[in-house]
Amino acid sequence: MDKLRRVLSGQDDNEELGLTAQVLDASSLSYSTRVKWFVICFAGGILCSILGSALLFLPGGIKLFAVFYTIGNLAALASTCFLMGPLKQLKRMFEPTRLIATIVMLLCLVLTLCAVFWWHKKGLAIIFCILQFLSAINLPITHAYSDGAVCQR
């Protein structure tokens, strides 16, 4: 409310702040809000993945399966951005200890959709979805390993 009063009265001092500080100030969320949106996004991702798995058994459902499963994994991956922020998440994902796991995960997401829509290879799409699942499990393990939570260096 104070910020609104400052802007309306012409006393906004954001001009002195850098662009990064302005963006961080405008996008800061409370801890409880971050946790709520993390849970919502993660649950939505799981729901999409389960829905995609159920659609697999419909005639021609492989395309829907691939799309929903990929969207579900993207939502679950993006949900962690609410906990630590998108920039910090991206920096941590591309650290040297996590780089291979990140590249495999992102590559599997893209290749799943390519296998279904451009190459029309159903078996290959299933393999890439399995690799998505395995890399989605591996990514948090590499986070825990590189943070020293699993073993001491």
Side-chain angles (χ1 to χ4, degrees):
M1 192 67 171
D2 291 332
K3 188 174 182 176
L4 180 62
R5 283 190 200 127
R6 281 183 291 170
V7 170
L8 293 176
S9 66
Q11 298 173 354
D12 189 22
D13 58 350
N14 273 351
E15 294 174 3
E16 297 173 8
L17 296 175
L19 179 64
T20 306
Q22 289 179 14
V23 169
L24 290 176
D25 184 42
S27 64
S28 61
L29 299 172
S30 69
Y31 180 74
S32 63
T33 303
R34 288 176 184 269
V35 170
K36 287 175 190 173
W37 280 104
F38 164 75
V39 169
I40 290 169
C41 196
F42 191 76
I46 290 174
L47 183 67
C48 281
S49 295
I50 292 171
L51 180 62
S53 298
L55 292 172
L56 178 63
F57 300 106
L58 294 176
I62 187 73
K63 289 182 181 181
L64 291 173
F65 165 68
V67 169
F68 276 98
Y69 195 79
T70 302
I71 289 172
N73 280 335
L74 281 172
L77 184 64
S79 68
T80 58
C81 291
F82 287 105
L83 295 179
M84 66 179 72
L87 293 177
K88 188 174 179 182
Q89 172 70 12
L90 286 174
K91 286 179 185 177
R92 292 187 73 192
M93 282 176 64
F94 288 99
E95 287 177 353
T97 55
R98 301 175 178 132
L99 185 61
I100 294 173
T102 301
I103 289 172
V104 169
M105 174 73 177
L106 296 176
L107 197 59
C108 287
L109 293 170
V110 171
L111 290 176
T112 300
L113 297 176
C114 289
V116 168
F117 290 111
W118 286 283
W119 305 328
H120 303 288
K121 304 286 184 184
K122 296 176 183 177
L124 197 57
I126 298 292
I127 290 171
F128 285 134
C129 283
I130 292 169
L131 290 174
Q132 273 189 48
F133 176 75
L134 294 175
S135 61
I137 290 172
N138 187 38
L139 198 60
I141 291 172
T142 60
H143 284 274
Y145 173 75
S146 65
D147 290 342
V150 174
C151 64
Q152 297 295 325
R153 294 183 199 186

